[in-house]
Amino acid sequence: MGGILSNIFGAGGSDGQDSPHSESATNVMSFHSSARWQLHFDSCKTSSQLMVIDFAASWCGPCKIMEPELRKMASTYSDVQFVKIDVDELSDVAQEFQVQAMPTFVLVKGGKEVERVIGARKDELLKKIEKHRAQQ
Amino acid sequence: MAVSAGFEGFEKRLELHFFGDDPLNNLIDNEMGLRLLDFESLQEVLDAVQCTVVSAVGNQYFDAYVLSESSLFVYPTKIIIKTCGTTQLLKSIRPLVDYAHDLNLTLCACRYTRGSFIFPKSQPFPHTSFKEEVFYLEENLPINLCYRKASVMPSKLASHSWHVFTASDAQATTRQLVSGDVNATFTLEICMTELDRTMAKNGDTAGKEMTELTGIGGINPNPNSIICDFAFDPCGYSMNGVDGDRYSTIHVTPEDGFSYASFECVGSVYDDHDEVAQMLKRVVQVFKPATMSVSTTCTSHEVWTRVVHAIEPLGLKCRSCVMDEFPAAGSVVFQTFTATRRK
């Protein structure tokens, strides 16, 4: 719960439960164990907050293009939760979400997938975030 | 000049193959090789060519980028860049070889191909003529690529020739002669002009809609294949298809008077014979060109016959067929087709 609340109030940054990513103060959370991820995901099921999950790989060029864009979006949309998952690290989660190409952005609300963007498509992702963040 | 030039749809294509410097092993399968090139370096290379990335996607096998003037595919040991308009594609060679060198990768083969420009006088250095392109390639390729060949393959139409330049080092050439290409892969480069007007009009719509409306999305029936598409302003459309380790790419310049579309894909001689035929049929059905050229590059000799059998039943007659052999690359067959019935 703490993770969601700190994000809604714009505290940003990784929640205390997870070891923060070495990339300074970023509003994008990353998870390094499936268990922690599952805990977090389950705790968000009752929330109507939009969550954007970025499935990426360290060796994938297109993912690197989106990294700074995602950080910008996370700063702009403080009412939206941004999460980054490394497909090699959490391969079971990537498989569960049927990720076949990277980057894949899965938009989730109340534990359910509402939208998906495949590829480094900044404008399309922005459009979809705008579309889903407002709805209750 | 009485005639003002329009947008040049005919692309220039460059394919570069690299070899790991480590004498003990040439890039283990899970090493990412060229994919480790950071984005800034890639952008620098593209700046030299004067194009930028507009969309991108990657999977475990390769990265695919849609560029402002065509496409870029980055595999661990292979890069393919295909650009249209007035881009200076060959200028990417030097920076790419340098960056690859930093990753302990050495260039071992190069292949440059293109059709005939609709507006050749609009092309900048070094693309003002094939002769100039070959001269530039000779000057800028490292000397270890000692087997070189340049050829202009003709057709019955003076405006449609296929230009090929290949260069390979001793190892790449011997490897191909001795063991052949294990997967017997082939590359199909298709250029279409005088497109069906209705289809070309759809070039005004957004990328995804264009993919669906025109039926381009259905060309590769594999549901697991991914399409990365982009519609340009004011018109024009590009798409990269990602299917396992295979890429495909389509580019459309819809303007009347110089409408053009290209389709390129790879396959294997061991694929289901029907698959390639069906795909070619779909391509023709979507674009309905009046003139079409197909260049097949393959280490084996069978693919081009399948091409003719697939296309002729659709009202396009094969007007010419020429073949040439190139070190390491294998044979290149260049065929041209024109519609038997005008609509």
Side-chain angles (χ1 to χ4, degrees):
Chain A
M1 276 307 255
I4 303 167
L5 289 174
S6 63
N7 254 314
I8 289 174
F9 294 116
S14 311
D15 62 339
Q17 296 169 305
D18 226 58
S19 44
H21 214 256
S22 54
E23 288 162 34
S24 59
T26 159
N27 297 329
V28 182
M29 286 192 276
S30 33
F31 290 87
H32 305 283
S33 91
S34 313
R36 290 216 194 283
W37 159 252
Q38 200 55 56
L39 262 167
H40 180 79
F41 187 70
D42 288 340
S43 70
C44 295
K45 282 183 178 165
T46 49
S47 157
S48 62
Q49 186 192 30
L50 175 65
M51 182 195 316
V52 176
I53 312 169
D54 170 15
F55 287 94
S58 55
W59 37 260
C60 170
C63 299
K64 295 177 208 156
I65 300 176
M66 283 303 280
E67 259 167 42
E69 302 298 333
L70 204 74
R71 279 199 290 272
K72 266 188 241 160
M73 287 181 203
S75 311
T76 315
Y77 301 106
S78 46
D79 56 333
V80 176
Q81 198 183 123
F82 288 84
V83 174
K84 183 156 180 241
I85 291 187
D86 183 308
V87 301
D88 291 317
E89 225 178 5
L90 267 55
S91 53
D92 48 344
V93 179
Q95 212 168 27
E96 188 194 319
F97 279 87
Q98 295 174 305
V99 173
Q100 293 179 306
M102 279 79 66
T104 290
F105 299 93
V106 180
L107 280 70
V108 175
K109 240 185 171 175
K112 292 210 168 62
E113 177 177 332
V114 293
E115 207 67 89
R116 176 178 290 231
V117 174
I118 299 177
R121 316 178 68 119
K122 187 185 95 177
D123 294 334
E124 195 183 321
L125 181 59
L126 275 169
K127 232 176 23 189
K128 304 220 156 137
I129 290 175
E130 289 278 355
K131 176 178 166 198
H132 291 279
R133 65 189 270 246
Q135 292 168 10
Q136 280 312 304
Chain B
M1 287 287 281
V3 178
S4 60
F7 186 79
E8 180 65 66
F10 274 90
E11 295 103 342
K12 309 164 181 97
R13 182 186 185 280
L14 183 67
E15 182 169 326
L16 300 171
H17 290 247
F18 295 82
F19 192 77
D21 266 356
D22 187 343
L24 292 178
N25 54 45
N26 172 28
L27 236 53
I28 309 164
D29 279 3
N30 57 9
E31 272 190 43
M32 289 299 160
L34 295 163
R35 298 183 74 180
L36 296 172
L37 265 173
D38 61 74
F39 187 62
E40 284 73 35
S41 306
L42 218 49
Q43 191 58 67
E44 259 184 58
V45 174
L46 295 176
D47 283 346
V49 179
Q50 295 147 327
C51 56
T52 50
V53 174
V54 294
S55 187
V57 80
N59 68 5
Q60 67 211 98
Y61 302 104
F62 68 104
D63 293 323
Y65 300 85
V66 177
L67 309 175
S68 52
E69 313 244 16
S70 282
S71 298
L72 164 68
F73 301 100
V74 183
Y75 286 78
T77 56
K78 178 173 75 178
I79 281 191
I80 295 164
I81 315 182
K82 187 167 174 164
T83 65
C84 56
T86 50
T87 48
Q88 298 167 291
L89 178 57
L90 295 180
K91 285 193 161 179
S92 65
I93 296 178
R94 269 260 158 93
L96 273 172
V97 171
D98 288 340
Y99 283 126
H101 192 257
D102 293 340
L103 292 167
N104 285 322
L105 292 165
T106 321
L107 186 65
C108 64
C110 162
R111 182 166 96 235
Y112 176 69
T113 53
R114 67 164 172 87
S116 301
F117 295 123
I118 304 174
F119 308 108
K121 295 209 166 85
S122 304
Q123 291 294 321
F125 171 85
H127 300 284
T128 51
S129 67
F130 188 51
K131 190 165 140 190
E132 190 175 70
E133 288 166 316
V134 172
F135 190 75
Y136 188 90
L137 281 156
E138 294 276 33
E139 294 273 289
N140 288 279
L141 286 173
I143 53 171
N144 63 304
L145 268 62
C146 49
Y147 296 99
R148 303 181 178 195
K149 177 166 174 171
S151 174
V152 180
M153 302 173 70
S155 72
K156 296 238 168 72
L157 304 157
S159 54
H160 283 76
S161 299
W162 191 249
H163 306 77
V164 184
F165 176 91
T166 61
S168 47
D169 68 5
Q171 273 176 314
T173 313
T174 327
R175 233 183 291 126
Q176 191 251 315
L177 288 172
V178 171
S179 53
D181 176 356
V182 174
N183 298 314
T185 50
F186 61 83
T187 307
L188 279 177
E189 291 169 70
I190 297 170
C191 308
M192 298 170 276
T193 49
E194 294 167 89
L195 311 177
D196 173 67
R197 287 214 168 114
T198 346
M199 185 277 159
K201 269 205 185 64
N202 288 326
D204 285 347
T205 26
K208 280 223 163 15
E209 285 149 43
M210 170 81 159
T211 306
E212 282 159 31
L213 263 175
T214 52
I216 284 173
I219 288 177
N220 180 345
N222 179 357
N224 290 324
S225 68
I226 288 152
I227 289 180
C228 193
D229 48 24
F230 193 87
F232 293 91
D233 183 22
C235 58
Y237 166 90
S238 287
M239 118 356 165
N240 285 340
V242 172
D243 186 0
D245 65 345
R246 297 180 182 187
Y247 72 90
S248 60
T249 183
I250 290 177
H251 298 279
V252 186
T253 303
E255 293 100 315
D256 217 16
F258 48 94
S259 67
Y260 171 88
S262 68
F263 174 77
E264 177 177 329
C265 70
V266 292
S268 159
V269 168
Y270 303 120
D271 284 346
D272 177 351
H273 286 220
D274 213 35
E275 250 179 64
V276 175
Q278 289 309 316
M279 197 180 51
L280 283 167
K281 281 195 207 297
R282 282 189 288 267
V283 170
V284 174
Q285 279 158 354
V286 167
F287 295 101
K288 301 191 186 70
T291 310
M292 176 167 170
S293 76
V294 181
S295 169
T296 311
T297 306
C298 186
T299 47
S300 123
H301 291 198
E302 337 166 359
V303 188
W304 63 274
T305 48
R306 290 189 223 167
V307 169
V308 181
H309 291 136
I311 297 174
E312 287 210 314
L314 302 168
L316 282 164
K317 181 121 178 70
C318 184
R319 304 296 178 186
S320 71
C321 180
V322 287
M323 178 176 350
D324 203 347
E325 300 274 345
F326 295 83
S331 15
V332 174
V333 178
F334 177 59
Q335 299 160 293
T336 55
F337 301 81
T338 54
T340 47
R341 298 171 271 109
R342 293 294 295 157
K343 2 165 178 114

